[in-house]
Every structure is written in C-alpha cells, then in structure tokens.
Amino acid sequence: MYTKFSIEEIKEKLKNCLSYERYIHSLGTMEKAMELAKRFNLDVEKAQVAGLLHDCAKCMSNDELKAFEFCFDESEKLSCKTWHAPAGEVVAKRDFGVVDEEILSAIRWHTIGKKQMSNFEKIIFLADKIETRTREAEFREKIEKVLNETNSLDEAMLKSFKMTIKSLLKRKLPICFQTIDVYNDLLKSVL
C-alpha cells in the first residue's frame, strides 16, 4: 500500500484542490504513467498514484507555496513555476498519506528533474509532458517519436529538456541551474 487512501478517494480530494483543467491533466498523467510503467516493467499501481498526485500542489497560490520554501532547491527559487513540485512532495505525504519514498521523489522531481533519476522518476516526468488529455500534440508527439524510435527513457528525457530549454530561452524566462545539470548529464548518457 503506497497511501492510506484509495485511488477514488484521492480523485475526490484532488477535485477539491485543483482546477478542472489541472485535474484532467492529472488523470492524463496517471494514465500515461501507467502505460509507461507497463512498457518499462515498473510498478503500475505505484505509477498510478504518482501520476495522479504529481501536481497536487499546483493550484496553491505563490504565497501558500512560499510556506514550503524550506524544501526548495536554491535554483528553484528563480521561478515560482517550479515551486509546486517540492511542495507537492510534502502535500502528498501530509494530505494524501503517501508513504512510498519513490513516489514522493517522483513528485518532487517531475518538473526540473535531477541527475541520476530512477526509471520510475523518469516515467512520471515524461508522463507529465506527454499525457494526451491536455498536452499540445506538437510538443508531445516529438517526445513520443523519440521514445518509440529508441525505446530509451534517457533519449526521450533529453528531447523534452531540449524543447523546454529552447522554449524558456525564447520566452526570456529563468532556467534553473539544475535543469542545465540534468540536460548535460542526460547528454553524456546517450552519447
């Protein structure tokens, strides 16, 4: 058992703390995480919980998220768009009773990633980017193409990071230092 709540109970709780669109995205991420878990021989039930809860803190205000500043990586402080991930780890544990450390870590790192992610963390990261309910087809399909051609989580992650960094640069938004470190680490692993 990964949490004290059933999947249906988690869904009901999420409906009360997420916007409708974010809830639909969470369902899509859950579905894609389960699909990737099957494909890569990982725990499907665990992927279901992590995918569903990955954005459990996403709809909190910036002021609410600042209360979790104690768990932010220094570079995450550059952009409030990343704050929900470390806060989500705490919320998943506190409010949803998640006890599994790998689920908590996958929630924690689903936005900026980290060096040496486990395959489980990678599938949650990717499921968030390529779920079919709310993600734009153009972005999603490029990552899926790499995943299908190479069957490599690292190659798919690298494609996602390349596209994300390019988008952040184009929009003149800050890039977490850790994102660059993860990109460089992935680049080394696929060459």
Side-chain angles (χ1 to χ4, degrees):
M1 187 89 152
Y2 302 115
T3 175
K4 64 182 181 179
F5 297 104
S6 71
I7 291 297
E8 290 309 312
E9 289 170 322
I10 292 171
K11 287 178 182 179
E12 285 305 311
K13 286 176 68 77
L14 282 176
K15 284 179 186 176
N16 293 321
C17 64
L18 297 178
S19 68
Y20 176 76
E21 183 176 323
R22 186 59 49 186
Y23 176 71
I24 296 302
H25 166 67
S26 296
L27 293 177
T29 302
M30 175 191 73
E31 293 160 357
K32 185 57 75 171
M34 293 170 70
E35 176 187 317
L36 291 173
K38 284 179 195 167
R39 178 174 177 174
F40 291 97
N41 298 312
L42 300 168
D43 188 320
V44 175
E45 183 183 349
K46 187 187 262 194
Q48 182 180 30
V49 173
L52 188 56
L53 286 174
H54 81 287
D55 270 352
C56 62
K58 183 69 174 181
C59 291
M60 291 180 158
S61 70
N62 288 345
D63 286 339
E64 289 172 306
L65 289 170
K66 280 182 184 175
F68 298 94
E69 193 171 10
F70 67 91
C71 61
F72 294 178
D73 177 90
E74 194 60 36
S75 72
E76 285 173 308
K77 294 177 184 176
L78 292 172
S79 174
C80 60
K81 293 189 178 293
T82 63
W83 295 354
H84 73 282
E89 177 185 20
V90 177
V91 170
K93 190 173 193 173
R94 181 190 71 196
D95 299 348
F96 293 90
V98 174
V99 295
D100 185 88
E101 289 301 320
E102 197 167 29
I103 291 173
L104 294 170
S105 184
I107 292 169
R108 167 67 178 91
W109 297 110
H110 83 271
T111 302
I112 64 169
K114 69 174 182 171
K115 291 167 75 172
Q116 305 300 312
M117 291 172 79
S118 70
N119 282 347
F120 184 78
E121 290 167 327
K122 290 173 187 176
I123 68 162
I124 302 306
F125 181 94
L126 288 169
D128 177 41
K129 310 303 184 267
I130 63 173
E131 60 88 4
T132 58
R133 289 182 180 232
T134 64
R135 292 302 191 202
E136 292 182 25
E138 182 181 352
F139 183 83
R140 182 184 79 241
E141 288 170 359
K142 288 177 182 176
I143 297 168
E144 286 179 325
K145 182 176 189 275
V146 169
L147 188 58
N148 290 333
E149 288 175 354
T150 65
N151 203 40
S152 166
L153 292 170
D154 285 350
E155 291 274 6
M157 296 263 310
L158 184 60
K159 182 64 175 178
S160 177
F161 273 94
K162 285 179 182 178
M163 293 168 55
T164 299
I165 291 168
K166 184 177 179 180
S167 173
L168 291 168
L169 289 170
K170 185 177 179 181
R171 294 180 289 153
K172 299 180 182 176
L173 294 173
I175 301 171
C176 294
F177 311 130
Q178 186 148 333
T179 297
I180 302 300
D181 289 342
V182 175
Y183 169 81
N184 289 335
D185 194 57
L186 286 166
L187 195 58
K188 280 190 273 182
S189 79
V190 301
L191 293 179

